[in-house]
Amino acid sequence: MTQDGPTMSEGAVHRGRAASSGQPKSDTRAAGSGEASVVERRDEILEIAATLFAERGYRATSIRDIAERAGMKAGSLYYHITSKEALFVEIHDKALDAAAARVRAVIAGCRSPWERLEAACVEMLEIQLNPESLTLPIMNNFRSVPDEVKDALIRKRDEFERIFRDIIAALPLPSAIDRTIYRILLLRLLNTADEWYREGRLTRPEIAAQIVGIFRHEAG
Amino acid sequence: MTQDGPTMSEGAVHRGRAASSGQPKSDTRAAGSGEASVVERRDEILEIAATLFAERGYRATSIRDIAERAGMKAGSLYYHITSKEALFVEIHDKALDAAAARVRAVIAGCRSPWERLEAACVEMLEIQLNPESLTLPIMNNFRSVPDEVKDALIRKRDEFERIFRDIIAALPLPSAIDRTIYRILLLRLLNTADEWYREGRLTRPEIAAQIVGIFRHEAG
DNA sequence: CCTACCGATCGGTAGG
DNA sequence: CCTACCGATCGGTAGG
């Protein structure tokens, strides 16, 4: 009953042009003309797919689901993508890049290590819980992802998590606390926020503050 | 590469007879005879299915996978079960009952609230990470479970989590900490331990101690 | 417990 | 971008 029915909310997110991996053919439509370019169409598809993957997971999202929301037939989708797996990897990688940029941006304005941690937590919750920003809610769910793809995803995720490794390295934690599992536990909570978060009682910043409150320990 | 290949470890777990929901027909085989009874066969199937569900999730586990490991054809499985959904619900409920019993047992021997919390954490990690005890590693993954079933699972899980509500209610926490999200965060970590735990560096009790170390805050 | 089969759905392709 | 189709796989049933 919760997260199944089609959601008609597709915000304008990670439309960061500069396509890297190259599915779409040549495209040099004059900007300003009424027609949508091929790469714009492709970006729309990426967003739609991202939404569905986030809602239902990799396996439970069919190529036909994606095609339908994009207003085309399943076969036509293959003009824009090479495979379901490649589509997922591309979405995942772009989402992590966008998330990394956002987190780096907010911690840049902080002075103390604990401030940085809290700002990073707030931003992560925002990313994970805001349906407008399909930046990722994926990040996990690797169980339903085919093994061939999994390694690439994990490598990318480890790269992202380096941001948190650095934040945590600067914290004046008691020596009894192991920073590695500290990081693993914190990231697990942030990355799966969409699974445990209940709307209503507390705001995102309040929850971030609770998390930091729990994880905050000063060295004796 | 990680959790796909068939695992040949099927321990003797939650063989708690006293079958409740009733698939298997009448069965009154003399104990001690060499023949396996119908209910024993059914328990084997439950274990096999539990292992597969835990490894791959609900959707990624096919009825044919389960049948194959049980040494029979897919159709034959339906002599023992009514549906894949019902099978999952039954496994889930039995697993939670077994887990609840184990956690209640270990905390019964503790005197202080923090001792109780740590004992409960150790036991939960043991339950989640020990492949011999397919007591559950499910508990989550509800995303891939059909909506019709989800409600029943959630109700059962909430019942289980009451144990932790009680433990946490007794902790002398600072008033700034919200016990509800404290419980949600802690349970999220324990329940998904199989997803973030890396074998090798730290033992389960050491990790439980780290978790309690992080979550331990005494009221001023 | 098996064989044989059902309708549905999957990711993907050919050929326009 | 579409039609039409592929082989594979799914949960489940009939009829023994």
Side-chain angles (χ1 to χ4, degrees):
Chain A
M1 284 293 147
T2 14
Q3 47 189 187
D4 249 358
T7 318
M8 266 303 131
S9 62
E10 254 91 58
V13 197
H14 60 38
R15 299 231 167 167
R17 204 61 55 91
S20 47
S21 62
Q23 189 53 16
K25 325 296 175 187
S26 61
D27 178 74
T28 30
R29 199 92 60 189
S33 84
E35 296 172 23
S37 79
V38 177
V39 354
E40 277 168 358
R41 190 76 179 104
R42 188 157 192 279
D43 284 349
E44 281 174 40
I45 291 168
L46 289 187
E47 274 186 53
I48 289 167
T51 309
L52 290 172
F53 283 139
E55 280 176 9
R56 314 179 184 178
Y58 179 79
R59 279 185 74 109
T61 302
S62 77
I63 234 62
R64 281 167 178 81
D65 292 338
I66 299 166
E68 191 189 8
R69 274 212 205 171
M72 59 176 78
K73 298 296 179 181
S76 310
L77 208 56
Y78 285 85
Y79 170 72
H80 298 281
I81 70 172
T82 45
S83 72
K84 188 186 178 186
E85 292 187 2
L87 173 64
F88 185 80
V89 172
E90 184 178 352
I91 288 171
H92 179 266
D93 286 0
K94 283 191 178 171
L96 276 188
D97 286 341
R102 285 181 56 173
V103 173
R104 285 211 187 84
V106 298
I107 64 176
C110 301
R111 286 173 314 277
S112 84
W114 291 112
E115 263 180 67
R116 264 196 292 282
L117 185 72
E118 179 150 352
C121 288
V122 171
E123 194 64 12
M124 284 293 284
L125 288 183
E126 218 54 62
I127 288 168
Q128 288 287 345
L129 300 177
N130 197 341
E132 267 181 305
S133 94
L134 352 154
T135 326
L136 58 164
I138 304 162
M139 289 254 235
N140 340 294
N141 275 42
F142 286 170
R143 188 171 310 223
S144 61
V145 174
D147 280 343
E148 309 92 278
V149 190
K150 213 179 290 186
D151 290 349
L153 299 183
I154 289 176
R155 221 175 304 121
K156 188 78 186 177
R157 192 201 53 192
D158 288 349
E159 182 193 315
F160 171 80
E161 295 186 351
R162 225 166 290 160
I163 301 175
F164 279 83
R165 211 176 41 73
D166 293 343
I167 295 175
I168 292 166
L171 298 175
L173 289 171
S175 61
I177 288 181
D178 181 298
R179 281 165 209 264
T180 300
I181 88 133
Y182 185 95
R183 183 187 75 244
I184 291 169
L185 299 179
L186 178 62
L187 279 166
R188 180 103 284 246
L189 292 176
L190 296 172
N191 284 340
T192 65
D194 62 303
E195 294 174 36
W196 56 257
Y197 180 73
R198 278 103 150 150
E199 201 73 48
R201 225 169 47 86
L202 296 178
T203 66
R204 277 136 214 214
E206 280 168 351
I207 290 200
Q210 285 290 325
I211 293 177
V212 173
I214 290 170
F215 277 75
R216 180 162 190 156
H217 294 268
E218 312 268 359
Chain B
M1 285 293 147
T2 14
Q3 47 190 185
D4 249 3
T7 318
M8 266 304 130
S9 62
E10 254 91 58
V13 196
H14 61 35
R15 297 231 169 170
R17 206 59 58 90
S20 46
S21 63
Q23 190 52 17
K25 326 296 176 188
S26 61
D27 177 75
T28 28
R29 199 92 59 189
S33 84
E35 296 170 23
S37 78
V38 176
V39 354
E40 278 167 359
R41 191 78 180 103
R42 187 155 193 280
D43 284 350
E44 283 175 39
I45 291 167
L46 289 187
E47 275 186 52
I48 290 167
T51 310
L52 289 171
F53 283 139
E55 282 176 8
R56 314 178 185 179
Y58 179 78
R59 279 184 76 106
T61 302
S62 77
I63 233 64
R64 281 166 179 82
D65 291 337
I66 299 166
E68 191 190 7
R69 274 213 205 168
M72 60 177 77
K73 299 295 179 181
S76 310
L77 208 56
Y78 285 85
Y79 171 70
H80 298 280
I81 69 172
T82 45
S83 71
K84 188 186 177 187
E85 293 187 1
L87 173 63
F88 185 81
V89 172
E90 184 178 353
I91 288 171
H92 179 266
D93 286 0
K94 285 191 176 170
L96 276 189
D97 286 340
R102 285 179 58 171
V103 173
R104 286 212 186 82
V106 299
I107 64 175
C110 301
R111 287 172 313 278
S112 84
W114 291 112
E115 264 180 67
R116 264 196 293 281
L117 185 71
E118 179 149 351
C121 288
V122 171
E123 194 64 13
M124 283 293 282
L125 289 183
E126 219 54 62
I127 288 168
Q128 288 287 346
L129 301 177
N130 196 341
E132 265 180 307
S133 94
L134 351 154
T135 327
L136 58 164
I138 305 162
M139 290 255 235
N140 340 294
N141 276 42
F142 285 171
R143 186 170 312 223
S144 61
V145 174
D147 279 345
E148 309 92 276
V149 190
K150 212 178 291 185
D151 290 349
L153 299 183
I154 290 175
R155 222 174 304 119
K156 188 78 185 175
R157 192 202 54 193
D158 287 349
E159 183 193 316
F160 170 81
E161 296 186 352
R162 227 166 287 160
I163 301 175
F164 279 83
R165 212 177 41 75
D166 293 343
I167 295 174
I168 292 166
L171 298 175
L173 289 171
S175 61
I177 289 180
D178 182 298
R179 281 165 209 264
T180 300
I181 88 129
Y182 185 94
R183 183 188 74 243
I184 290 170
L185 298 179
L186 178 62
L187 279 166
R188 180 97 293 240
L189 293 176
L190 296 172
N191 284 341
T192 65
D194 63 303
E195 294 174 35
W196 55 259
Y197 181 73
R198 278 105 151 147
E199 201 73 49
R201 224 168 49 82
L202 296 179
T203 66
R204 276 134 214 214
E206 281 168 349
I207 290 201
Q210 286 290 325
I211 293 176
V212 174
I214 290 169
F215 278 76
R216 179 160 190 156
H217 294 269
E218 312 268 359

